[in-house]
Amino acid sequence: MNIKELLECYIAHRREVITRRTQYRLRKAEERAHILEGYKIALDNLDDFVRIIRASSNKEEAKVRLMEKYPLSERQTDAILELRLYQLTGLERGKIEAEYFELLKLVEYLRSILASESLLLDVIKTELLALKEKYSQPRKSEIIAAAGEFRMEDVIVNEGCVITVSHQGFIKRTRVADYRVQKRGGKGIIGTETYELDFVEQLFTASTHDYILFVTSTGKSYAKKVYDVPEGARTTKGKSVSSFLKLVEGERIAAMVCFSAFTDDRFLVLATQGGIVKKTMLSEYEGATREREGGLAAINLRADDQVIGGVLTTGTNEIVLVSHQALAVRFQEGAVDSAAEEEPVAEAAAETPAEAAAPDGTEPAEAAEVRVGLRATGRATAGVTGMRFKKKGDYLQSIEVCDSTARLLIAREDGIGKRTPFADYRLTRRGGSGVIAIDLPEDGKINVAGALSVHDTDEIMLLTAKNQSVRCPVAGIRETGRGAKGVKLINLAEGDKLLSVARIVDTRDDDEAPAETPAPEQG
């Protein structure tokens, strides 16, 4: 509201206050004048009033006889009968008449205020001037800007939440506590509702006070606070991403990473479906927090490529890339080795002799002992080759950071999964074709649904194409070798398949639900 609107509101308030006050004063003045009119009648006929009262046996009889003979109301008669003797003297009679005439003037004045808007406004002005005169001394307190800085985090609970994004672009944020803990192999509960022909494609967990950086399939980035993501119950569909992020037609969220602040010592490594990787300092993305149409460029893509994921690194990590057909490449993130120059993307299509795969599927790059790392580049760059594909139709599925205390969890589309130490994946050069990550059927009908780094104390969330979800502890999943088949993570209904797997960042002391009879382990 501007100053004019504030003044109009105040005047309207004062108008109502003065109107109600005047109505009250008028009512009281009229009631008092009515009583005084009765007194005047009694004083004009004092001897007769005394005679009637003395002749009556009680107060009620005197009241009735007086009202029968004189034009008096019940209230006037009661007031007359309560008069004391001294009020009948000549001096008191003069006071009564003077008060009566003053009341008549007051009644006329009060009625004029109620009948005239200009008089009412004059009263408001007069009272304001009186306040100005009464409180003319300088203000003792000082009005200044609020000390300190107000942050939304101060009034928002810091708690774990699950963020889901559907294939058709619906997003929501749900508390982790809304999901029930189950044992491995359980049937699960309904995790989210979707529209017809839609299915959940992305699942992410974070804390409400963190930043979340969205990277779209077209290489654009948007940074938001997690609490800004539209909130929804576990069974709701969520809201359209277009109402939250300004996405163009056909653009979708491909990667989401969470962090507490933009710094120069943290890096975002992006991976594309075509096997390209790019490393950029996290501070380069701070501009993504500002509202801008089209977002902030995160990577330059080829016309036939798209972003599939991204991870945060320290600059000295090792990275694992997992393809859709269960091949994995593990390489060092460190600076580019002087023995091997980092090839540009435009020249990465042709393999060099040192990079060609051996007949047995292993990578001869190990013998050469050449380590090609990742150089940090700006946001609007294309990146370099991270993985080459030796199987027809294969593409990059997941990207993860190696952790010696963790295990790489691989999940297949049929609900089978396993945990494997990162050490089982040989450290090779970036740009290799990879080694087997999990055993797949030879018919090629089942591929990898997801891969992520987990600890024994973690819990994971599994989501299927038919909207079933299971939250279960990682410790219940057997640790096996790199080429093993694994164990059953979730019982799938006919025609259903596993879509995604994500780690829960904030576990709760939920009561563990009774488990279904576990399926026999395979592999």
Side-chain angles (χ1 to χ4, degrees), residues 63 134 160 423 457 469:
K63 180 179 178 179
K134 182 177 180 180
T457 56
S469 67

Side-chain angles (χ1 to χ4, degrees), residues 87-390:
Q87 293 177 293
L88 302 178
T89 62
L91 181 61
E92 291 297 324
R93 178 171 182 166
K95 290 182 179 179
I96 291 173
E97 290 179 349
E99 182 184 358
Y100 177 69
F101 289 123
E102 288 296 325
L103 283 174
L104 291 180
K105 292 179 182 179
L106 178 60
V107 168
E108 182 180 359
Y109 171 68
L110 296 176
R111 286 176 178 173
S112 66
I113 291 176
L114 296 176
S116 174
E117 177 73 9
S118 61
L119 285 178
L120 191 146
L121 293 175
D122 285 341
V123 173
I124 295 176
K125 184 186 298 184
T126 301
E127 293 183 354
L128 286 175
L129 291 173
L131 285 175
K132 178 182 177 181
E133 184 67 24
K134 182 177 180 180
Y135 301 104
S136 59
Q137 66 271 23
R139 181 186 294 275
K140 295 181 179 180
S141 59
E142 183 181 0
I143 300 176
I144 60 174
E149 182 181 353
F150 175 79
R151 302 183 308 162
M152 286 298 297
E153 288 87 341
D154 296 333
V155 295
I156 295 177
V157 177
N158 189 9
E159 60 181 355
C161 55
V162 176
I163 299 169
T164 57
V165 183
S166 74
H167 181 69
Q168 293 186 359
F170 292 91
I171 187 171
K172 71 173 181 178
R173 169 173 55 90
T174 308
R175 295 187 312 138
V176 170
D178 291 346
Y179 291 88
R180 177 162 51 92
V181 177
Q182 295 187 350
K183 292 181 180 178
R184 175 179 60 80
K187 281 288 187 181
I189 58 176
I190 295 297
T192 182
E193 294 289 341
T194 55
Y195 294 113
E196 187 177 2
L197 303 180
D198 194 13
F199 57 89
V200 173
E201 193 171 62
Q202 296 279 344
L203 185 147
F204 190 75
T205 55
S207 169
T208 50
H209 286 193
D210 292 339
Y211 284 101
I212 183 167
L213 181 66
F214 298 85
V215 181
T216 69
S217 57
T218 60
K220 302 297 183 181
S221 60
Y222 304 83
K224 301 282 186 179
K225 282 289 190 177
V226 171
Y227 56 70
D228 288 328
V229 176
E231 187 174 11
R234 178 176 53 80
T235 56
T236 59
K237 298 179 179 68
K239 295 183 179 180
S240 172
V241 172
S242 61
S243 65
F244 178 58
L245 302 175
K246 298 179 180 179
L247 304 182
V248 300
E249 185 176 357
E251 190 177 19
R252 61 181 179 82
I253 296 174
M256 296 180 286
V257 293
C258 184
F259 48 91
S260 58
F262 293 93
T263 59
D264 292 337
D265 59 350
R266 299 290 298 279
F267 300 86
L268 175 64
V269 177
L270 295 177
T272 74
Q273 196 172 73
I276 302 301
V277 292
K278 187 178 81 76
K279 172 182 171 182
T280 306
M281 284 192 302
L282 196 57
S283 58
E284 294 275 344
Y285 294 93
E286 189 167 7
T289 58
R290 304 183 186 95
E291 293 292 338
R292 64 178 72 200
E293 188 171 355
L296 194 69
I299 184 174
N300 289 341
L301 294 172
R302 292 173 176 173
D304 58 347
D305 203 359
Q306 59 181 338
V307 178
I308 59 95
V311 293
L312 290 179
T313 67
T314 62
T316 58
N317 293 121
E318 295 176 355
I319 294 175
V320 168
L321 304 177
V322 180
S323 76
H324 190 57
Q325 295 184 17
L327 293 175
V329 171
R330 173 186 165 208
F331 63 90
Q332 291 177 334
E333 179 206 353
V336 178
D337 196 298
S338 59
E341 288 297 327
E342 192 170 12
E343 77 280 10
V345 172
E347 301 173 2
E351 292 184 343
T352 63
E355 293 172 332
D360 61 356
T362 61
E363 297 185 67
E366 282 188 294
E369 291 296 331
V370 176
R371 299 289 181 260
V372 181
L374 274 175
R375 179 187 293 116
T377 60
R379 286 181 298 98
T381 55
V384 294
T385 301
M387 184 177 188
R388 290 186 171 88
F389 308 110
K390 63 183 178 181

Side-chain angles (χ1 to χ4, degrees), residues 311-488:
V311 293
L312 290 179
T313 67
T314 62
T316 58
N317 293 121
E318 295 176 355
I319 294 175
V320 168
L321 304 177
V322 180
S323 76
H324 190 57
Q325 295 184 17
L327 293 175
V329 171
R330 173 186 165 208
F331 63 90
Q332 291 177 334
E333 179 206 353
V336 178
D337 196 298
S338 59
E341 288 297 327
E342 192 170 12
E343 77 280 10
V345 172
E347 301 173 2
E351 292 184 343
T352 63
E355 293 172 332
D360 61 356
T362 61
E363 297 185 67
E366 282 188 294
E369 291 296 331
V370 176
R371 299 289 181 260
V372 181
L374 274 175
R375 179 187 293 116
T377 60
R379 286 181 298 98
T381 55
V384 294
T385 301
M387 184 177 188
R388 290 186 171 88
F389 308 110
K390 63 183 178 181
K391 294 184 179 181
K392 184 178 180 181
D394 198 6
Y395 58 86
L396 197 59
Q397 176 83 35
S398 301
I399 176 173
E400 281 293 335
V401 174
C402 296
D403 184 351
S404 60
T405 64
R407 300 292 182 267
L408 181 64
L409 173 68
I410 306 284
R412 307 191 327 181
E413 293 174 336
D414 59 354
I416 302 297
K418 67 181 180 68
R419 291 186 298 148
T420 305
F422 283 97
D424 281 16
Y425 299 87
R426 294 190 303 274
L427 185 63
T428 63
R429 64 180 293 130
R430 172 184 54 77
S433 57
V435 295
I436 295 175
I438 189 172
D439 184 36
L440 295 179
E442 295 182 359
D443 57 11
K445 293 182 179 180
I446 297 174
N447 293 298
V448 172
L452 71 160
S453 175
V454 294
H455 293 83
D456 291 343
T457 56
D458 288 338
E459 291 181 351
I460 60 171
M461 188 76 71
L462 305 167
L463 237 65
T464 75
K466 291 188 176 180
N467 309 321
Q468 294 295 316
S469 67
V470 165
R471 176 185 174 190
C472 66
V474 167
I477 302 173
R478 192 176 68 184
E479 184 177 325
T480 63
R482 178 172 54 79
K485 184 177 182 180
V487 298
K488 182 169 291 188

